[in-house]
Amino acid sequence: MFAAIWATRWYLLLGLFTFLVFLAINAPLHFVWRMLEPDVRNLPVDVRSVTGTLWHGHLQAEQRQLGPIDAEWQLSPWALLTAAAEVDLTLTAPSIRMNGLVRLEADQRLHVTGLDGFVDTDLLKPLLKPLQLDLSGNLEANDVAAVIELDTRQLTALDGRLVFSGGAAVFPVQRKRVTAEVPMLVGVLRMDKERAVLDVTSMEGQKLVQGFIQPDGWGGVAIRRRMFDVLGQTWPDKADVDTVVFEVSRKIL
């Protein structure tokens, strides 16, 4: 009898491991949260309630800039077998709504894929303020993907598409503040070596603006003269439509 049990020990261990994983991911989340809460008090959000399970959970929280937040996720059991955590995450707040797959690898790489949603430009004001740019409207994200090295906090991959709805903008021209109506624009996200780049074009594909953020937190924007044509503004100096007529870079992160 003992020989038979010994011969099947690996199957028993696998069954025990499977049972423990099943038990963990189906445990009531409020019970798990009570054990974790003392160790996560420094989170940048104020967690108000947690319901469901680790497998399929729901969290309500409050954040200073975002306001009330609803987060819902579905955990992939197959990813756990590869020592990774993958969730289908939906995040909703007054100024943002996002859905995508988030995967955390054992090597501390965070993968975001298939990210769709929208962001109100009010959330971008801290980034736009150093560039002396004020913008209204919203951004729609389509199939955005990124890879972040958590140990170094570096963005190593970026891809996707953004669509700006159009709206009013205030920006400096020759030391004067100018107000103009911005039409619908398209942005393409990509990596240029170690820089995260956003190429902004008109709906017809004409190059207008390029923004970037470097690993050291410096960011900037370069605007072509064509952008002023699109805004109905006159550039005071002679320049070709593809000439960069305004460029600024600042420490923003």
Side-chain angles (χ1 to χ4, degrees):
M1 178 179 178
F2 289 107
I5 294 176
W6 182 255
T8 60
R9 64 189 184 281
W10 299 117
Y11 296 102
L12 294 174
L13 289 173
L14 178 61
L16 178 62
F17 173 76
T18 303
F19 172 74
L20 291 175
V21 170
F22 176 83
L23 185 64
I25 64 178
N26 284 281
L29 194 56
H30 64 87
F31 174 75
V32 177
W33 178 251
R34 283 203 299 268
M35 295 186 293
L36 295 177
E37 191 173 11
D39 299 321
V40 293
R41 289 179 178 175
N42 293 326
L43 286 174
V45 296
D46 179 18
V47 177
R48 299 297 177 86
S49 70
V50 289
T51 56
T53 65
L54 288 176
W55 170 271
H56 189 182
H58 180 255
L59 177 146
Q60 290 183 317
E62 186 87 16
Q63 203 271 342
R64 183 172 57 87
Q65 289 181 314
L66 296 179
I69 302 170
D70 279 327
E72 186 174 358
W73 66 89
Q74 180 82 41
L75 181 67
S76 169
W78 309 114
L80 295 176
L81 299 178
T82 62
E86 182 178 284
V87 295
D88 186 345
L89 177 65
T90 299
L91 181 68
T92 305
S95 299
I96 186 172
R97 184 173 63 247
M98 289 289 172
N99 174 256
L101 285 177
V102 180
R103 181 183 178 92
L104 178 61
E105 303 281 359
D107 59 3
Q108 294 296 297
R109 286 186 179 181
L110 183 68
H111 296 254
V112 179
T113 56
L115 184 67
D116 296 311
F118 89 94
V119 177
D120 192 299
T121 53
D122 282 345
L123 287 180
L124 304 179
K125 285 186 177 180
L127 295 176
L128 299 177
K129 186 176 180 180
L131 305 176
Q132 303 178 59
L133 176 61
D134 190 12
L135 191 63
S136 65
N138 61 68
L139 291 171
E140 180 181 334
N142 301 118
D143 200 23
V144 174
V147 178
I148 303 171
E149 303 280 354
L150 294 181
D151 54 348
T152 60
R153 298 183 181 181
Q154 298 297 314
L155 184 68
T156 58
L158 182 65
D159 186 49
R161 187 172 181 263
L162 302 177
V163 177
F164 175 60
S165 64
V170 182
F171 50 91
V173 177
Q174 297 290 295
R175 299 182 181 180
K176 294 181 181 180
R177 300 288 285 174
V178 174
T179 301
E181 192 68 23
V182 183
M184 184 177 289
L185 303 175
V186 177
V188 176
L189 296 166
R190 63 183 178 89
M191 293 297 295
D192 180 10
K193 297 180 181 179
E194 295 183 345
R195 299 196 317 168
V197 174
L198 172 64
D199 292 315
V200 180
T201 69
S202 65
M203 297 300 292
E204 294 74 31
Q206 297 172 317
K207 295 180 180 180
L208 303 174
V209 179
Q210 184 179 87
F212 71 88
I213 299 178
Q214 297 179 163
D216 59 4
W218 277 79
V221 61
I223 301 177
R224 299 173 187 269
R225 202 217 75 189
R226 183 185 288 112
M227 184 66 192
F228 290 90
D229 295 343
V230 171
L231 297 176
Q233 299 294 317
T234 302
W235 185 253
D237 300 322
K238 291 183 179 180
D240 184 79
V241 290
D242 282 314
T243 300
V244 174
V245 294
F246 178 80
E247 189 170 8
V248 62
S249 61
R250 299 269 180 97
K251 181 80 172 180
I252 59 176
L253 293 178

